[in-house]
Amino acid sequence: MEDLNEIARALVAPGKGILAADESSGTIKKRFESIGLASTETNRRDYREMLFRTKGAAQYVSGVILYDETIKQKAADGTPLVKVLQDQGVMPGIKVDMGAKLLAGAAGELVTEGLDGLRERFAEYKKLGAVFSKWRAVITIGQGIPSFYCLEVNAHALGRYAALSQEAGIVPIVEPEVLMDGTHSIERCYEVTRLTLREVFRQLAIQRVSLEGMLLKPNMVLSGKEATDRAPADEVAFWTVRCFKETVPAAVPGVVFLSGGQSDEEATVNLDAINRYAATVGAPWQLSFSYGRGLQAAPQKAWSGKQENVAAAQRAYLHRAKVTSAARMGKYSRAMEKEAVAV
Ligand code: 13P
C-alpha cells in the first residue's frame, strides 16, 4: 500500500493536477462536432498527441487519464502515447468504467457499469503502464431525486472498483459526480453532495479500500447551472470545504475536482477560492484538479482540427494548465488570463 500512497501523493504534488483526456468515443465525437471535425481514430490520436507533447505542461500536470483506445495508441512517429507521457515524467492513468446507464426501477437516475471482467482489464492496463485509474458515478439532482437507492448502488460499485484497482497496484480515483444541471440552490447541492460522500466512504470502508492509496474526484458544491441567482466563488469555497470536512477522512491524500461543465475561467476562479479559503480554516487534503473541459475547451477551439493551429492550441492548453495550477495553490489572479505563454 506504500506505493499506492506515494503515487497518490505525487499526483497531487504542490502545483500539480491531472488532465482528464479520457472522453469516451461518444463524448469526443460531440466535442469534435462542436469544432466541425469528424471523430476518426487518426483525428483523436492527433488531437491527444498534440496535448501530450505540449512542452512545459509537465510542470503543471502530474498525470493524464486515458481512454481504452488511447492507452493502446501510438503517436504519428510510432512511439506509444503512454511513452510520450512517461518520457516527460507524466503518469498515465486509465478510465475503467463503461459509463452510466439507466438504473432499473428509478426513473431519471443512473448507475455506472463496468465491473464484469474488471480484474482482468486491470492486469492488462497495468502491463500497458497505467499507475492510476478512474471510475465515474453520476448523481442527478431533481424533483425527489437522488434516491438513497441510487446513492447506495453507485457507492457500492465505486467500492468494488476501488478495491480491485488497489489489488492490481493501481491508485483508484473515486469519482462520484453530483451533476450541476438544474435550477437547485447551492445549499441543495451541499446536502446531496454530503449524503453522497458519506455513502461513498461507508462503502469504501466496508470494502477495505485503503484511504491513503486513493484520490477523491468530486464536484465542487455549486448552484445549479440554470439557477437564477448563482452563488459566487466565496460561497462555493465555503460550502465545498464545509462539505468535505464533514465527509472526507483526513487519510485521503487529495481531492481532485472535476470541472463538470463550468466554463474554464469559472472552474479556475472557484478552485482558487477553495484553496484560499481552505488555507484560512485549515484542511488535511491537497485540493487540486482533474479537469477535462476546464483544460481542453480552449485548445480544442484554437486547434479546430487544423495542422497550422497546433502551436496556438498548445499555447492555449499550456496557459490553462498554468493558471489552473496557480489556482490549485490559491495564487491565481484574473490578470493571469491575459499573460502569454511560450511553448
Ligand atoms: P470535466 O472536468 O469536463 O467534468 O471532466 C472530468 C472528468 O473526467 C469527468 O469524468
Side-chain angles (χ1 to χ4, degrees), residues 163-201:
L164 282 166
S165 187
Q166 290 188 337
E167 181 189 88
I170 293 176
V171 170
I173 299 189
V174 171
E175 180 181 8
E177 174 175 3
V178 177
L179 295 177
M180 71 186 291
D181 301 339
T183 56
H184 54 268
S185 64
I186 193 166
E187 290 86 354
R188 173 103 172 104
C189 180
Y190 167 76
E191 278 168 20
V192 171
T193 305
R194 189 173 62 164
L195 263 182
T196 302
L197 293 177
R198 280 199 178 140
E199 183 56 18
V200 166
F201 282 102

Side-chain angles (χ1 to χ4, degrees), residues 19-23 31 65 95 97 134-136 175 177 217 257-262 290-296:
L19 165 68
D22 60 328
E23 297 82 4
R31 304 272 187 272
I65 316 176
K95 181 235 287 294
D97 67 72
K134 184 194 98 173
W135 176 290
R136 173 175 178 253
E175 180 181 8
E177 174 175 3
K217 177 164 175 168
F257 291 101
L258 53 95
S259 58
Q262 302 177 72
S290 173
Y291 287 176
R293 286 162 285 182
L295 289 171
Q296 294 186 62

Side-chain angles (χ1 to χ4, degrees), residues 7-326:
I7 293 164
R9 284 189 294 120
L11 283 166
V12 292
K16 293 199 179 181
I18 295 168
L19 165 68
D22 60 328
E23 297 82 4
S24 61
S25 306
T27 304
I28 197 78
K29 186 164 179 280
K30 266 192 260 161
R31 304 272 187 272
F32 280 7
E33 269 165 11
S34 73
I35 53 170
L37 189 67
S39 181
T40 63
E41 190 184 339
T42 309
N43 284 343
R44 293 192 293 270
R45 193 274 313 276
D46 288 350
Y47 169 65
R48 287 167 170 150
E49 180 177 353
M50 170 183 81
L51 294 181
F52 302 169
R53 286 199 191 274
T54 300
K55 286 203 182 67
Q59 201 184 326
Y60 313 116
V61 171
S62 54
V64 176
I65 316 176
L66 305 168
Y67 185 57
D68 180 74
E69 174 185 88
T70 324
I71 201 171
K72 298 168 180 166
Q73 239 166 1
K74 290 190 167 68
D77 69 359
T79 315
L81 289 177
V82 164
K83 189 162 185 315
V84 170
L85 294 172
Q86 288 166 335
D87 286 350
Q88 301 168 71
V90 174
M91 291 179 267
I94 182 74
K95 181 235 287 294
V96 299
D97 67 72
M98 302 290 220
K101 309 285 160 61
L102 294 179
L103 175 61
E109 298 194 279
L110 303 169
V111 64
T112 302
E113 296 188 348
L115 289 168
D116 288 357
L118 186 53
R119 175 177 278 129
E120 291 71 28
R121 287 200 291 132
F122 269 130
E124 185 192 6
Y125 290 140
K126 176 98 182 168
K127 276 200 203 119
L128 288 166
V131 297
F132 71 100
S133 68
K134 184 194 98 173
W135 176 290
R136 173 175 178 253
V138 179
I139 309 297
T140 310
I141 298 182
Q143 194 75 27
I145 59 171
S147 63
F148 189 70
Y149 161 41
C150 172
L151 297 187
E152 191 176 25
V153 292
N154 275 291
H156 188 266
L158 279 166
R160 288 200 56 199
Y161 142 75
L164 282 166
S165 187
Q166 290 188 337
E167 181 189 88
I170 293 176
V171 170
I173 299 189
V174 171
E175 180 181 8
E177 174 175 3
V178 177
L179 295 177
M180 71 186 291
D181 301 339
T183 56
H184 54 268
S185 64
I186 193 166
E187 290 86 354
R188 173 103 172 104
C189 180
Y190 167 76
E191 278 168 20
V192 171
T193 305
R194 189 173 62 164
L195 263 182
T196 302
L197 293 177
R198 280 199 178 140
E199 183 56 18
V200 166
F201 282 102
R202 191 177 78 90
Q203 289 292 344
L204 294 177
I206 291 170
Q207 299 187 50
R208 306 176 184 177
V209 172
S210 156
L211 299 182
E212 293 176 352
M214 63 162 276
L215 294 172
L216 178 71
K217 177 164 175 168
N219 52 285
M220 295 175 186
V221 176
L222 302 169
S223 314
K225 201 165 188 173
E226 291 85 36
T228 41
D229 190 16
R230 301 196 64 226
D234 59 336
E235 285 181 38
V236 170
F238 171 80
W239 288 106
T240 301
V241 172
R242 182 173 178 190
C243 184
F244 294 171
K245 285 206 166 201
E246 288 206 69
T247 54
V248 184
V252 175
V255 167
V256 288
F257 291 101
L258 53 95
S259 58
Q262 302 177 72
S263 74
D264 48 15
E265 209 171 319
E266 186 184 2
T268 312
V269 168
N270 284 335
L271 181 62
D272 184 65
I274 288 168
N275 273 287
R276 282 175 198 262
Y277 179 65
T280 66
V281 294
W285 345 265
Q286 296 294 313
L287 294 161
S288 188
F289 59 91
S290 173
Y291 287 176
R293 286 162 285 182
L295 289 171
Q296 294 186 62
Q300 269 164 19
K301 204 165 151 217
W303 180 53
S304 296
K306 299 199 178 81
Q307 182 57 30
E308 66 265 29
N309 295 337
V310 164
Q314 289 184 325
R315 278 196 301 275
Y317 168 53
L318 187 64
H319 180 256
R320 277 310 341 140
K322 184 180 174 184
V323 297
T324 309
S325 159

